[in-house]
Amino acid sequence: DILTFFGHQDFPSPERQFGDTWRWGAAVLSILRPGAFSFYAGTEAGFEAPCKEDHKMITFNEPVQIDWSGSHEDFSQFQRRLLLFAGSIRESLGEQTTMEALRPSSLGRSEPWVGYLIRSSVPSVDMKIAVVVNTAPRPTTAQFLDPDSGKHVYLEIGSAGPSGFEIVQLPK
């Protein structure tokens, strides 16, 4: 099985890696990957105490204390809602899932979004989920072809950040 961490002490913090705006979308794209998922402790508080000796998020060479006072309460609440939502999706899809990249249906044009389909591998589960994240600072429309039905799907997505994603159920 796969274990996906969002944040890890051996790497720069998600906020430093992705920027304040893009970390929201990175969390959405990461949480529904097959296997287990974990937010690394401290990411919800925006914690980072970079090592003097390398790029890591936290040093083990000196004492460090996380300030849990809520300086990033918006991201912490977002994480809690996202974990609950992801839990209900995982419960509906079952433990065995597959992922498939979504491709923009406007060939030749660069699109400001990324996404994937997640499907249940259980034949009796008749659903799939599209996960789409906006990477631009302005709202956009994600347009892609549903690989099963051959129909175009259009999703209006807010600006990159806390509202810059859509997770929708599509017929299997």
Side-chain angles (χ1 to χ4, degrees):
D1 282 358
I2 297 170
L3 174 58
T4 300
F5 280 100
F6 189 77
H8 192 275
Q9 81 271 0
D10 288 335
F11 299 99
S13 71
E15 192 167 357
R16 186 164 30 130
Q17 284 183 342
F18 303 115
D20 181 51
T21 302
W22 191 200
R23 71 182 162 130
W24 305 83
V28 170
L29 289 172
S30 300
I31 198 165
L32 288 173
R33 292 185 53 188
F37 177 84
S38 177
F39 282 108
Y40 191 73
T43 58
E44 66 274 22
F47 176 75
E48 181 168 33
C51 300
K52 295 176 182 114
E53 63 275 7
D54 60 29
H55 65 279
K56 294 179 181 180
M57 183 170 129
I58 186 172
T59 183
F60 291 102
N61 297 330
E62 55 191 70
V64 173
Q65 187 165 349
I66 296 176
D67 178 10
W68 296 101
S69 65
S71 60
H72 285 73
E73 186 61 28
D74 55 346
F75 194 67
S76 180
Q77 288 177 9
F78 174 78
Q79 283 181 317
R80 286 192 291 276
R81 287 192 314 269
L82 191 57
L83 284 166
L84 289 171
F85 187 58
S88 68
I89 290 173
R90 287 177 182 271
E91 187 175 316
S92 298
L93 290 173
E95 290 299 316
Q96 300 300 316
T97 59
T98 61
M99 290 177 64
E100 177 182 340
L102 289 173
R103 310 237 185 276
S105 54
S106 56
L107 296 175
R109 266 193 22 223
S110 175
E111 295 289 337
W113 60 270
V114 294
Y116 59 84
L117 287 177
I118 185 168
R119 304 169 186 263
S120 176
S121 297
V122 178
S124 63
V125 177
D126 192 30
M127 69 183 291
K128 64 185 173 203
I129 304 291
V131 180
V132 183
V133 172
N134 185 358
T135 61
R138 64 192 176 290
T140 192
T141 300
Q143 178 182 338
F144 58 91
L145 200 60
D146 181 326
D148 298 328
S149 70
K151 295 180 180 178
H152 287 275
V153 177
Y154 301 89
L155 298 176
E156 298 295 323
I157 308 172
S159 303
S163 63
F165 69 94
E166 286 293 328
I167 301 174
V168 297
Q169 181 176 340
L170 299 174
K172 192 173 179 185

